Coordinates of all heavy atoms in Angstrom, one line a residue:
A78 N -120.5 -291.1 -18.7 CA -121.4 -291.3 -19.8 C -122.7 -292.0 -19.3 O -122.6 -292.9 -18.5 CB -120.7 -292.1 -20.8
D79 N -123.9 -291.5 -19.8 CA -125.1 -292.1 -19.4 C -125.3 -293.4 -20.3 O -124.5 -293.8 -21.1 CB -126.2 -291.1 -19.5 CG -126.5 -290.6 -20.9 OD1 -126.0 -291.3 -21.8 OD2 -127.1 -289.5 -21.0
S80 N -126.5 -294.0 -20.1 CA -126.8 -295.2 -20.9 C -126.8 -295.0 -22.4 O -126.7 -295.9 -23.1 CB -128.1 -295.8 -20.4 OG -129.1 -294.8 -20.6
N81 N -127.0 -293.7 -22.8 CA -127.0 -293.4 -24.2 C -125.6 -293.0 -24.8 O -125.5 -292.6 -25.9 CB -128.0 -292.3 -24.5 CG -129.4 -292.7 -24.2 OD1 -129.8 -293.8 -24.5 ND2 -130.2 -291.8 -23.6
G82 N -124.6 -293.1 -23.8 CA -123.3 -292.8 -24.3 C -123.0 -291.3 -24.2 O -121.9 -290.9 -24.7
K83 N -123.9 -290.5 -23.7 CA -123.6 -289.1 -23.7 C -122.8 -288.7 -22.4 O -123.0 -289.3 -21.4 CB -125.0 -288.3 -23.6 CG -125.7 -288.4 -24.9 CD -127.1 -287.6 -24.8 CE -127.9 -287.7 -26.1 NZ -129.1 -287.0 -26.0
S84 N -121.9 -287.7 -22.6 CA -121.1 -287.3 -21.5 C -121.8 -286.4 -20.6 O -122.5 -285.5 -21.0 CB -119.8 -286.6 -22.1 OG -119.0 -286.2 -21.0
D85 N -121.6 -286.6 -19.3 CA -122.2 -285.8 -18.2 C -121.1 -285.0 -17.6 O -120.3 -285.4 -16.8 CB -122.8 -286.7 -17.2 CG -123.4 -285.9 -16.0 OD1 -123.6 -284.6 -16.2 OD2 -123.8 -286.5 -15.0
T86 N -121.1 -283.7 -17.9 CA -120.1 -282.8 -17.4 C -120.5 -281.9 -16.2 O -119.9 -281.0 -15.7 CB -119.5 -281.8 -18.5 OG1 -120.6 -281.1 -19.0 CG2 -118.9 -282.7 -19.6
T87 N -121.7 -282.1 -15.7 CA -122.3 -281.4 -14.7 C -122.5 -282.1 -13.4 O -123.3 -281.6 -12.5 CB -123.7 -280.8 -15.2 OG1 -124.6 -281.9 -15.4 CG2 -123.5 -279.9 -16.4
S88 N -122.0 -283.3 -13.3 CA -122.3 -284.1 -12.1 C -121.5 -283.7 -10.9 O -121.8 -284.2 -9.8 CB -122.0 -285.6 -12.5 OG -120.6 -285.8 -12.9
G89 N -120.5 -283.0 -11.1 CA -119.7 -282.4 -10.0 C -118.9 -283.5 -9.3 O -118.6 -283.5 -8.1
N90 N -118.5 -284.6 -10.1 CA -117.7 -285.7 -9.5 C -116.2 -285.4 -9.4 O -115.5 -286.3 -8.9 CB -118.0 -287.0 -10.2 CG -119.4 -287.5 -9.9 OD1 -119.9 -287.4 -8.8 ND2 -120.1 -288.0 -11.0
K91 N -115.7 -284.4 -10.0 CA -114.3 -284.1 -10.0 C -113.8 -283.8 -8.6 O -114.5 -283.0 -7.9 CB -114.0 -282.9 -11.0 CG -114.2 -283.3 -12.4 CD -113.7 -282.1 -13.3 CE -113.8 -282.5 -14.8 NZ -113.5 -281.4 -15.7
A92 N -112.7 -284.4 -8.2 CA -112.2 -284.2 -6.9 C -111.6 -282.8 -6.7 O -111.1 -282.2 -7.6 CB -111.1 -285.2 -6.6
D93 N -111.8 -282.2 -5.5 CA -111.3 -280.9 -5.3 C -109.7 -281.0 -5.2 O -109.2 -282.0 -4.9 CB -111.8 -280.4 -3.9 CG -113.3 -280.1 -3.9 OD1 -113.8 -279.8 -5.1 OD2 -113.9 -280.2 -2.9
A94 N -109.1 -279.9 -5.5 CA -107.6 -279.8 -5.4 C -107.1 -280.1 -4.0 O -107.8 -279.7 -3.0 CB -107.1 -278.5 -5.9
A95 N -106.0 -280.8 -3.9 CA -105.4 -281.1 -2.6 C -105.0 -279.8 -1.9 O -104.7 -278.8 -2.6 CB -104.2 -282.0 -2.7
P96 N -105.0 -279.7 -0.6 CA -104.7 -278.4 0.1 C -103.3 -277.8 -0.3 O -103.2 -276.6 -0.3 CB -104.7 -278.8 1.6 CG -105.5 -280.0 1.6 CD -105.3 -280.8 0.4
T97 N -102.4 -278.6 -0.7 CA -101.0 -278.0 -1.0 C -100.8 -278.0 -2.6 O -99.7 -277.8 -3.0 CB -99.9 -278.8 -0.4 OG1 -100.0 -280.2 -0.7 CG2 -100.0 -278.7 1.2
A98 N -101.8 -278.3 -3.4 CA -101.6 -278.3 -4.8 C -101.4 -276.9 -5.3 O -101.9 -275.9 -4.7 CB -102.8 -278.9 -5.5
P99 N -100.6 -276.7 -6.4 CA -100.4 -275.4 -6.9 C -101.8 -274.8 -7.4 O -102.6 -275.5 -8.0 CB -99.5 -275.6 -8.2 CG -98.8 -276.9 -7.8 CD -99.8 -277.7 -7.1
T100 N -102.0 -273.5 -7.2 CA -103.3 -272.8 -7.5 C -103.2 -272.0 -8.8 O -104.2 -271.7 -9.4 CB -103.8 -271.9 -6.4 OG1 -102.8 -270.9 -6.2 CG2 -103.9 -272.7 -5.1
G101 N -101.9 -271.6 -9.2 CA -101.8 -270.8 -10.3 C -101.9 -269.3 -10.0 O -101.8 -268.4 -10.9
T102 N -102.2 -269.0 -8.7 CA -102.4 -267.6 -8.3 C -101.0 -266.9 -8.2 O -100.1 -267.5 -7.6 CB -103.1 -267.5 -7.0 OG1 -104.4 -268.2 -7.1 CG2 -103.3 -266.1 -6.5
K103 N -100.9 -265.7 -8.8 CA -99.6 -265.0 -8.7 C -99.3 -264.7 -7.2 O -100.2 -264.2 -6.6 CB -99.7 -263.7 -9.5 CG -98.4 -262.9 -9.6 CD -98.6 -261.7 -10.5 CE -97.3 -260.8 -10.5 NZ -96.2 -261.6 -11.1
P104 N -98.2 -265.1 -6.7 CA -97.9 -265.0 -5.3 C -97.8 -263.5 -4.8 O -98.2 -263.2 -3.6 CB -96.6 -265.7 -5.1 CG -95.9 -265.6 -6.4 CD -97.0 -265.6 -7.4
V105 N -97.2 -262.6 -5.6 CA -96.9 -261.3 -5.1 C -97.2 -260.3 -6.1 O -97.2 -260.6 -7.3 CB -95.5 -261.1 -4.6 CG1 -95.2 -261.9 -3.3 CG2 -94.5 -261.5 -5.7
T106 N -97.3 -259.0 -5.7 CA -97.5 -257.9 -6.7 C -96.4 -257.0 -6.7 O -96.3 -256.1 -7.5 CB -98.8 -257.1 -6.3 OG1 -98.6 -256.6 -4.9 CG2 -100.1 -258.0 -6.3
G107 N -95.4 -257.2 -5.9 CA -94.3 -256.2 -5.9 C -93.0 -256.8 -5.2 O -93.0 -258.0 -4.9
K108 N -92.0 -256.0 -5.1 CA -90.7 -256.5 -4.5 C -90.1 -255.4 -3.7 O -90.3 -254.2 -3.9 CB -89.7 -256.9 -5.6 CG -89.9 -258.2 -6.3 CD -88.7 -258.6 -7.2 CE -88.9 -260.0 -7.8 NZ -87.8 -260.4 -8.6
N109 N -89.5 -255.9 -2.6 CA -88.7 -255.0 -1.7 C -87.2 -255.2 -2.0 O -86.6 -256.1 -1.5 CB -89.0 -255.4 -0.3 CG -88.3 -254.5 0.7 OD1 -87.5 -253.6 0.3 ND2 -88.6 -254.6 2.0
G110 N -86.7 -254.4 -2.9 CA -85.5 -254.6 -3.5 C -85.5 -255.8 -4.4 O -86.2 -255.9 -5.4
T111 N -84.8 -256.9 -4.1 CA -84.8 -258.1 -4.9 C -85.6 -259.2 -4.2 O -85.7 -260.3 -4.6 CB -83.4 -258.6 -5.1 OG1 -82.8 -258.9 -3.9 CG2 -82.6 -257.7 -5.9
I112 N -86.3 -258.8 -3.1 CA -87.0 -259.8 -2.3 C -88.5 -259.6 -2.6 O -89.0 -258.5 -2.4 CB -86.7 -259.6 -0.7 CG1 -85.3 -259.7 -0.5 CG2 -87.5 -260.6 0.1 CD1 -84.9 -259.3 0.9
P113 N -89.2 -260.7 -2.9 CA -90.7 -260.6 -3.1 C -91.4 -260.0 -1.9 O -91.0 -260.3 -0.8 CB -91.1 -262.0 -3.4 CG -89.8 -262.7 -3.9 CD -88.7 -262.1 -3.1
S114 N -92.4 -259.2 -2.1 CA -93.2 -258.6 -1.0 C -94.6 -258.4 -1.5 O -94.9 -258.5 -2.7 CB -92.6 -257.3 -0.6 OG -92.6 -256.3 -1.7
G115 N -95.5 -258.0 -0.6 CA -96.9 -257.8 -0.9 C -97.7 -259.0 -1.1 O -98.5 -259.1 -2.0
F116 N -97.5 -260.0 -0.2 CA -98.2 -261.3 -0.2 C -99.6 -261.1 0.2 O -99.9 -260.2 1.0 CB -97.5 -262.3 0.7 CG -96.1 -262.7 0.1 CD1 -95.0 -262.1 0.5 CD2 -96.0 -263.7 -0.8 CE1 -93.7 -262.4 0.0 CE2 -94.8 -264.1 -1.4 CZ -93.6 -263.4 -1.0
A117 N -100.5 -261.9 -0.3 CA -101.9 -261.8 0.0 C -102.2 -262.1 1.5 O -101.5 -262.8 2.2 CB -102.7 -262.8 -0.8
H118 N -103.2 -261.4 2.0 CA -103.7 -261.5 3.3 C -104.6 -262.7 3.5 O -105.8 -262.6 3.8 CB -104.3 -260.2 3.8 CG -104.6 -260.2 5.3 ND1 -105.4 -259.4 5.9 CD2 -104.0 -261.0 6.3 CE1 -105.4 -259.5 7.2 NE2 -104.6 -260.6 7.5
D119 N -104.0 -263.9 3.2 CA -104.8 -265.2 3.4 C -103.8 -266.3 3.7 O -102.6 -266.0 3.7 CB -105.7 -265.5 2.2 CG -104.9 -265.5 0.9 OD1 -103.7 -265.7 0.9 OD2 -105.6 -265.2 -0.2
Q120 N -104.3 -267.5 3.8 CA -103.4 -268.6 4.1 C -102.4 -268.9 3.0 O -101.3 -269.1 3.2 CB -104.3 -269.9 4.4 CG -103.4 -271.1 4.8 CD -104.2 -272.3 5.2 OE1 -105.2 -272.2 5.9 NE2 -103.8 -273.5 4.7
Q121 N -102.9 -268.8 1.7 CA -102.0 -269.0 0.6 C -100.9 -268.0 0.6 O -99.7 -268.2 0.4 CB -102.7 -269.0 -0.7 CG -101.7 -269.2 -1.9 CD -102.4 -269.3 -3.2 OE1 -103.4 -270.0 -3.3 NE2 -102.0 -268.6 -4.2
G122 N -101.2 -266.7 1.0 CA -100.3 -265.7 1.0 C -99.2 -265.9 2.0 O -98.0 -265.7 1.8
A123 N -99.6 -266.4 3.2 CA -98.7 -266.7 4.3 C -97.7 -267.8 3.9 O -96.5 -267.8 4.1 CB -99.4 -267.1 5.6
E124 N -98.3 -268.9 3.2 CA -97.4 -270.0 2.7 C -96.4 -269.5 1.7 O -95.3 -270.0 1.7 CB -98.3 -271.1 2.2 CG -99.1 -271.8 3.3 CD -99.8 -273.0 2.8 OE1 -99.2 -273.9 2.1 OE2 -101.1 -273.2 3.1
S125 N -96.9 -268.7 0.7 CA -96.0 -268.2 -0.3 C -94.9 -267.3 0.3 O -93.7 -267.4 -0.1 CB -96.8 -267.4 -1.3 OG -97.7 -268.2 -2.0
A126 N -95.3 -266.5 1.3 CA -94.3 -265.7 1.9 C -93.2 -266.5 2.6 O -92.0 -266.3 2.5 CB -94.9 -264.8 3.0
A127 N -93.6 -267.6 3.3 CA -92.7 -268.4 4.0 C -91.8 -269.1 3.0 O -90.6 -269.2 3.3 CB -93.5 -269.5 4.9
A128 N -92.3 -269.6 2.0 CA -91.4 -270.3 1.0 C -90.4 -269.3 0.4 O -89.2 -269.7 0.3 CB -92.3 -270.8 -0.2

Side-chain angles (χ1 to χ4, degrees):
D79 60 18
S80 58
N81 296 320
K83 295 181 179 180
S84 176
D85 177 13
T86 59
T87 61
S88 60
N90 288 320
K91 291 184 178 180
D93 293 333
T97 57
T100 64
T102 301
K103 185 177 177 66
V105 292
T106 57
K108 284 189 175 182
N109 183 354
T111 59
I112 302 172
S114 64
F116 293 92
H118 189 195
D119 54 24
Q120 181 174 319
Q121 176 173 317
E124 292 186 46
S125 295

